[in-house]
Amino acid sequence: MNLSSFTKNFTIRPPSLNDAQATLELVIACEAAEYGEPDSSLEELVDQWSQIDLDQDAWLVIAPHSQLIGYAAVFRHDHRFTFDFYVHPTLAPAKLTRYLLAQCEARACEQLEVGTGVKPTASIILSEGNLVKKQIAQGLGFDLCKYHFGMRINFDTPPPVPIWMEGINLRTAVPDQDDHSIYNFIQAAFDRPGRVPPSFERWRDFMMGAYNFESDLWFLAYNRDELIGAALCFDYPQQGWVRQLGVAQRWRRQGIGSALLQHVFDVFYRRGHGRVGLVVESENPQAYRFYESVGMKCVQQYAEYCKALSSS
């Protein structure tokens, strides 16, 4: 794309760690404009940057007077890529969105592997109300593939005490000892037609390599020696967060998931959090109804757009 038509006065360069605070301020401005409140932190952004090559996988767009108006990054998850991109809600030209998406796609295509038998894809998350971004994404070949629902529960008083079935024991994870068993359990619990699980290494880096990973917030439910339920949680400044929750197939609809969540609610309440959140996909309506049944409500809706990638 020819930059001169709309960015001739802009500087486009890779970010460095010195740019993290300014980038966060842009991200927060975009989140507040689209979702009503920010949902990012400096620690999380720096953690994300540690997973990529900033010189090749990310871009900043800077207007005259040193105003940061655009940021984008490519994240690889085996054969799936996700693109993060932000353009200032009032200062950036609309065409900047198209340029950043095109940059992300070009970079992802450079990393494609031949002969793996797996079709590589790229995905982006958009707010429901941003029609301009949707039109741009569709013009570049992205199609709506699913929705993500942000669920939340708020607490003014202590949450109910969990009720466990007889014979169920709960403990927290032991790093190195439990890594593979938790990974295998979660992949089995999340299994569905068409889903390609991440490699163990990718999963471990994403989950256990996070800046706020605490093994004491990974709760494992056992029946004797059998792992039957897991809630893998993280403590963020604004709320407690359930990143992955699963129950073994033959143990579902017996109260294991409800007890796990109620335990999570209690732990975060005692840590001083007044709310707990998570995200569930539209492909899993049963999970959505389950989270509603324990008192969680949908507070945000995101649209995921996907595109098959090709090196040609």
Side-chain angles (χ1 to χ4, degrees), residues 13-20 45-46 48-60 71-75 107:
R13 63 170 175 80
S16 71
L17 288 178
N18 292 333
D19 299 307
L45 178 65
V46 172
Q48 290 174 345
W49 282 2
S50 71
Q51 302 169 29
I52 62 176
D53 182 347
L54 287 180
D55 288 336
Q56 300 187 75
D57 298 333
W59 303 265
L60 299 181
Y71 158 66
V74 176
F75 298 90
R107 174 56 184 155

Side-chain angles (χ1 to χ4, degrees), residues 158-164 258-266 270:
V161 176
I163 300 175
W164 294 97
S258 299
L260 273 170
L261 271 182
Q262 288 166 349
H263 178 76
V264 168
F265 297 161
D266 178 65
R270 287 186 283 109

